[in-house]
Amino acid sequence: MNVTELFASNVFNDEVMKNALPKEVYKSLRRTIDEGQPLDTSIAGAVANAMKDWAVSKGATHYTHWFQPLTNLTAEKHDSFIEPDGDRVIMRLTGKSLIVGEPDASSFPSGGSRATSAARGYTAWDPTSPAFVKEGTLYIPTIFVSYTGETLDKKAPLLKSMTALDLQAKRLLKLFGIEARKVSTTVGPEQEYFLIDEEVYEKRKDLVLTGRTLFGAPSTRGQELEDHYFGTLKSRISDYMRDLDATLWSYGIFAKTKHNEVAPAQHELAPVFTTTNVAVDANQLTMELMKKVARRHGLVCLLHEKPFEGINGSGKHNNWSLSTDSGLNLLDPGENPEENPRFMLILTCVIAAVDKYQGVLRACVASAGNDHRLGADEAPPAIISVYLGDQLGALVDSIVMGRQYVPKKAVPGSIGVPESPIFPIDTTDRNRTSPFAFTGNKFEFRMLGSQASVADPNIVLNTIVAQAFSEAVESLGGAKDFPKACKAYTEKLLKEHYRIIFNYNGYGPDWEPEAERRGLLNNKTTADAVPEFMKRESIELFVRQGVYTEKEVVARANIALENYTKAINIEAKTMAEMVRRDIWPAADKYAAALCSAIAAKRAVSEKIACVSDMVLAEKVSSLNDGLMEATEKLENDLKEMPSGELAASERMAHVIVPDMDAVRAIADELERLVSSAYWPYPTYTELLYSVK
Ligand code: ADP
Ligand code: MG
């Protein structure tokens, strides 16, 4: 495979555009892409035609406006290029069809922001993310808005948040005498996933319908040997990864790192970072292709946050930084951060933003699936805190305490093997337990669930940091002695928000009570977390930065709660059905078989004691009675759902989820007792270890 030729071969990227477009058209389009200037609609016809010609040369017959409704998935409606021309057809894409589309919006979530009767929705081209050809269709990235202008997707607010941050960052940089044309955020999302055998998967109703196992006793072998992490790839897995890499590369996605993760059957893929908007689109496409390519290998890719109880779940690390159009990374501390007031102010603004809006940040990654991870010993806790590492941690401590700072320099290290090279040891170790960690020249937000859209956390990150920047500019703008004022402002802000900094083990038992003492939020479920989004302070934030209207904030929060309630409702119903139709009958049959065996043995001789058969039959029967009782309770509790998104989600979190836990506990106990000849589903051992 010639990777350099393959790379981006399906993408209408800069190089293709430059060759295909008249010079003036190309220049005008670049101004829109690079500097955010409004699109000159008069060039649309020429761009559309060039795009169509290129797409047809790649075998495309159709085009689609590709958008991201509030479902975490992408949506598409395909139209062919054909246009009647007498008896024949010609292939055509008009400027108007490139710029606007009009899919029926009535079946997408709107959170009450639009009446069902008002179905009109528009998609509008986003020229900042490149179009591509996939499976015979030209994909045009678009935003999605309602007839009345409310955003119905994740891309429109993301672009608005990027604009807000660009604006405020440029104002801030001006104070330091830096004139940037554009400040963009960059994102590199590390993606975790599971791969399991397709045949085994198809036998699990819970996996097929809900993406996770609702039942399953732990395998006798879990992740305790720690032998899977970074382990050698099995050949089927390595074939899959090669195929996936090639596929992703053809779509211009910078797939870079791949390895086995901690849990058996778990893996990770990390791309090279890029502009946030493009990174979000690329991650959506990556998730879709991960699943599709898996099927070609007889595998199923599970993107659920917690497919299996008792072993690690899957997350997504959102590596985030800020840089100017000339390539200056604003989160790069340089050699001596203590002598870099610009870096210190920017760092402080991020810290302050994360503290002030911790509730919003937690809320934007809340989902039914992610509730299983946050707070378990594998993912960061549900409490937001910031990790700075040794060097910056010590620097910030010294500023807050008013102590002298003694810089710790990177020292050349040697690993004690004479042949091995000398290398500089990093000034900071990694901390894997922090939800928001400074990692060299970027922050890593680690609370995202594996199937989440990366758009949500980045909308929030960009907006809260834009707000912190604007407050800094307002405070420092008129300062007579800027360096002095800047230092004082940084110090004041660090003191105010010092409580959010935690440089120790976030999994440790001491952290929760300590966080409580510090007054940090600890919202464990989606039902508890999402209301933070609707608080006055949060609404004002989004409105002020021009990212959401008040109505949109409320709509989004309601959708998040609704999605949560729906997900748990489906899980609960699936669970009840699996018990009634498969698990209970299987256990009952097994108990009956034991009884028949006793009878048969007794028929031979009254003296045969049959003690173990009797004990087992009794145990299975009584557990099975308990299972039916717990299932009935779950079903009855499901019938009494209060109206209103918040009340319904609270009932799910505090009544239905505990009911489901109770059902599962009994069924898993039964699985340990019932003969494998009777058990209706593949076990964890089969699910996790059948790929060779
Ligand atoms: P980890 O140590 O968490 O395994 P790496 O250091 O290998 O991760 O980097 C993880 C991700 O961070 C990669 O996707 C990488 O592209 C991304 N990354 C690196 N620098 C930046 C940056 N300036 N902005 C955004 N993401 C970045
Ligand atoms: Mg990471």
Side-chain angles (χ1 to χ4, degrees):
M1 143 170 64
N2 182 336
V3 178
T4 49
E5 256 172 44
L6 174 70
F7 191 80
S9 53
N10 292 322
V11 186
F12 191 72
N13 63 4
D14 185 63
E15 194 186 333
V16 182
M17 236 155 46
K18 200 171 183 173
N19 289 332
L21 294 175
K23 212 174 193 166
E24 282 316 308
V25 173
Y26 171 75
K27 272 193 191 157
S28 165
L29 188 56
R30 281 269 37 128
R31 277 195 295 274
T32 299
I33 298 170
D34 299 332
E35 295 161 38
Q37 291 198 8
L39 179 76
D40 172 6
T41 48
S42 70
I43 65 165
V47 180
N49 196 46
M51 238 187 222
K52 182 262 302 169
D53 283 346
W54 169 82
V56 169
S57 79
K58 293 269 157 198
T61 53
H62 287 68
Y63 70 95
T64 179
H65 275 199
W66 187 56
F67 57 104
Q68 299 171 20
L70 302 171
T71 54
N72 275 352
L73 300 170
T74 56
E76 48 194 75
K77 178 181 137 217
H78 300 210
D79 281 298
S80 73
F81 289 123
I82 66 163
E83 214 162 85
D85 183 29
D87 285 348
R88 308 184 58 84
V89 291
I90 53 166
M91 302 296 260
R92 196 159 166 208
L93 178 66
T94 63
K96 185 165 178 290
S97 313
L98 166 64
I99 297 184
V100 217
E102 201 188 316
D104 184 338
S106 61
S107 296
F108 291 107
S110 77
S113 69
R114 175 188 37 72
T116 317
S117 56
R120 230 177 243 261
Y122 294 101
T123 48
W125 180 34
D126 166 23
T128 61
S129 182
F132 55 92
V133 166
K134 180 167 74 71
E135 295 148 11
T137 296
L138 168 69
Y139 281 73
I140 302 165
T142 57
I143 60 166
F144 183 39
V145 293
S146 76
Y147 180 61
T148 45
E150 267 108 28
T151 59
L152 296 172
D153 73 341
K154 305 203 172 186
K155 188 188 264 281
L158 180 72
L159 292 172
K160 288 180 186 177
S161 75
M162 290 167 69
T163 305
L165 190 67
D166 170 47
L167 195 78
Q168 301 307 334
K170 282 192 297 210
R171 288 177 71 208
L172 187 95
L173 287 179
K174 231 181 220 157
L175 299 178
F176 292 91
I178 299 175
E179 292 281 345
R181 267 165 64 214
K182 190 163 180 183
V183 175
S184 325
T185 50
T186 46
V187 164
E190 299 164 67
Q191 175 78 49
E192 290 179 338
Y193 61 99
F194 279 87
L195 283 177
I196 62 167
D197 189 84
E198 191 173 32
E199 254 177 58
V200 186
Y201 166 88
E202 297 294 352
K203 293 183 187 144
R204 294 283 314 213
K205 251 179 229 173
D206 44 3
L207 278 177
V208 172
L209 294 176
T210 73
R212 76 178 182 103
T213 53
L214 300 169
F215 299 100
S219 168
T220 46
R221 176 180 175 143
Q223 61 193 45
E224 61 274 61
L225 291 176
E226 297 172 334
D227 55 352
H228 191 256
Y229 192 51
F230 285 5
T232 319
L233 302 174
K234 291 174 180 159
S235 25
R236 257 177 95 190
I237 302 297
S238 120
D239 287 349
Y240 164 79
M241 287 179 169
R242 276 174 66 80
D243 193 0
L244 179 64
D245 278 339
T247 310
L248 294 176
W249 289 334
S250 80
Y251 294 112
I253 295 170
F254 300 101
K256 176 88 176 163
T257 311
K258 52 188 184 185
H259 60 81
N260 284 350
E261 256 300 328
V262 172
Q266 193 185 28
H267 315 279
E268 182 182 294
L269 169 93
V272 178
F273 67 95
T274 172
T275 324
T276 305
N277 176 31
V278 175
V280 168
D281 288 359
N283 184 251
Q284 289 294 346
L285 193 53
T286 300
M287 289 194 284
E288 177 194 319
L289 292 169
M290 285 170 100
K291 290 188 187 166
K292 278 193 177 157
V293 172
R295 293 287 183 159
R296 295 209 284 260
H297 295 259
L299 298 165
V300 174
C301 172
L302 303 177
L303 288 176
H304 194 282
E305 286 79 6
K306 192 73 182 175
F308 306 101
E309 201 67 33
I311 56 172
N312 278 8
S314 299
K316 184 141 60 188
H317 290 177
N318 189 78
N319 293 274
W320 176 92
S321 194
L322 291 158
S323 62
T324 67
D325 54 295
S326 61
L328 173 69
N329 180 345
L330 299 181
L331 286 178
D332 188 350
E335 293 277 298
N336 305 306
E338 68 280 14
E339 290 161 17
N340 187 345
R342 169 172 44 81
F343 168 75
M344 286 311 291
L345 178 63
I346 289 171
L347 177 80
T348 301
C349 283
V350 176
I351 292 170
V354 171
D355 181 35
K356 191 161 172 197
Y357 298 108
Q358 50 181 285
V360 184
L361 212 45
R362 162 69 182 98
C364 75
V365 293
S367 69
N370 218 13
D371 278 4
H372 296 285
R373 285 176 67 245
L374 301 180
D377 272 358
E378 58 186 86
I383 310 159
I384 301 259
S385 67
V386 176
Y387 169 82
L388 292 175
D390 294 345
Q391 186 193 24
L392 286 178
L395 176 55
V396 166
D397 286 351
S398 73
I399 294 172
V400 171
M401 313 289 179
R403 283 195 311 241
Q404 170 84 18
Y405 171 65
V406 187
K408 187 180 157 196
K409 293 283 169 222
V411 282
S414 162
I415 44 179
V417 179
E419 297 84 352
S420 79
I422 303 273
F423 56 93
I425 291 199
D426 292 328
T427 49
T428 156
D429 195 5
R430 289 166 189 241
N431 176 323
R432 310 212 332 150
T433 67
S434 174
F436 201 85
F438 186 78
T439 44
N441 57 8
K442 59 183 161 69
F443 272 104
E444 190 170 342
F445 185 33
R446 300 182 175 136
M447 273 183 155
L448 287 72
S450 46
Q451 58 186 340
S453 157
V454 207
D456 297 305
N458 286 296
I459 293 169
V460 171
L461 268 175
N462 294 343
T463 309
I464 64 177
V465 173
Q467 174 66 21
F469 284 173
S470 74
E471 284 170 21
V473 172
E474 275 142 36
S475 176
L476 295 170
K480 290 219 170 58
D481 182 347
F482 175 70
K484 195 170 158 207
C486 178
K487 189 162 176 266
Y489 184 80
T490 303
E491 220 175 280
K492 175 176 155 282
L493 219 56
L494 278 179
K495 281 184 182 154
E496 277 171 21
H497 299 285
Y498 191 55
R499 64 171 184 168
I500 198 76
I501 297 170
F502 182 66
N503 284 319
Y504 310 99
N505 182 8
Y507 297 174
D510 307 336
W511 174 224
E512 224 176 302
E514 166 67 15
E516 199 180 333
R517 270 194 295 281
R518 294 184 185 196
L520 300 177
L521 294 172
N522 186 4
N523 290 320
K524 294 195 172 171
T525 73
T526 301
D528 305 316
V530 170
E532 287 289 324
F533 205 67
M534 285 187 268
K535 287 203 169 144
R536 188 52 33 208
E537 208 182 38
S538 151
I539 292 174
E540 275 164 13
L541 159 82
F542 288 112
V543 172
R544 234 186 104 176
Q545 293 305 324
V547 173
Y548 290 132
T549 61
E550 174 161 358
K551 210 166 144 189
E552 286 169 349
V553 174
V554 175
R556 268 154 216 261
N558 282 334
I559 290 171
L561 293 174
E562 223 175 76
N563 286 344
Y564 171 77
T565 299
K566 283 181 189 163
I568 294 180
N569 191 42
I570 292 171
E571 288 182 354
K573 285 193 308 187
T574 305
M575 203 168 199
E577 186 183 296
M578 287 171 78
V579 168
R580 286 192 180 277
R581 305 201 52 187
D582 300 324
I583 299 176
W584 189 90
D588 193 56
K589 241 194 210 163
Y590 182 54
L594 288 169
C595 293
S596 313
I598 296 167
K601 288 179 194 171
R602 287 272 163 82
V604 175
S605 158
E606 276 301 317
K607 283 184 191 152
I608 299 178
C610 302
V611 178
S612 57
D613 304 67
M614 271 159 43
V615 170
L616 192 54
E618 235 179 80
K619 204 162 178 191
V620 169
S621 289
S622 91
L623 277 172
N624 220 16
D625 286 345
L627 179 65
M628 189 51 88
E629 217 174 283
T631 305
E632 275 165 7
K633 177 169 178 352
L634 170 66
E635 287 168 331
N636 289 333
D637 285 343
L638 265 183
K639 282 184 200 140
E640 290 165 34
M641 288 310 286
S643 59
E645 286 89 353
L646 184 58
S649 71
E650 280 170 347
R651 185 169 173 83
M652 285 298 178
H654 304 300
V655 177
I656 302 299
V657 170
D659 279 355
M660 289 169 65
D661 291 344
V663 172
R664 178 174 187 150
I666 305 172
D668 290 359
E669 184 60 32
L670 274 169
E671 188 188 319
R672 288 186 197 95
L673 301 177
V674 172
S675 152
S676 56
Y678 288 77
W679 196 253
Y681 301 119
T683 61
Y684 268 28
T685 302
E686 290 163 89
L687 285 165
L688 294 167
Y689 296 100
S690 45
V691 176
K692 299 283 177 291

